[in-house]
Amino acid sequence: MSGRDSVDSGLAVGESVRRKTIEVADLLRAFPAGSPALLDEAQRLADEQTRGAPAAVFAGVIANLPQPMSGETARAYGTRLLTGVQQ
């Protein structure tokens, strides 16, 4: 693989990670009001959303997931995740 191909591939993976992280955030924001934010649940969603994608995409989405704050709802967690990805 040439240097140019590896750069293009890296950009494609990075964009896929961003899009899949946004999908996970949107799913979390759709949880019922008052549902607690659980890292295990976010990781499960990341696994579902990245099935069939390169392993680097799953790893990148997992790396984007912050620890939920004490008492945080899934909706608030999804909003915080979305804000972090959009910055």
Side-chain angles (χ1 to χ4, degrees):
M1 180 184 301
S2 74
R4 176 72 184 160
D5 289 341
S6 63
V7 169
D8 290 344
S9 177
L11 290 174
V13 168
E15 179 59 22
S16 292
V17 167
R18 189 184 75 74
R19 280 187 276 132
K20 294 299 181 181
T21 303
I22 289 170
E23 289 176 15
V24 170
D26 287 342
L27 290 169
L28 288 164
R29 292 171 40 160
F31 272 45
S35 296
L38 302 171
L39 186 57
D40 288 347
E41 188 66 17
Q43 291 170 336
R44 182 188 66 75
L45 291 171
D47 180 53
E48 289 177 3
Q49 294 306 304
T50 60
R51 272 207 193 113
V57 174
F58 173 71
V61 173
I62 292 296
N64 282 338
L65 298 176
Q67 283 290 333
M69 294 188 284
S70 180
E72 188 172 32
T73 66
R75 287 180 175 184
Y77 180 66
T79 298
R80 187 161 59 97
L81 178 58
L82 183 61
T83 300
V85 171
Q86 292 177 334
Q87 292 180 352

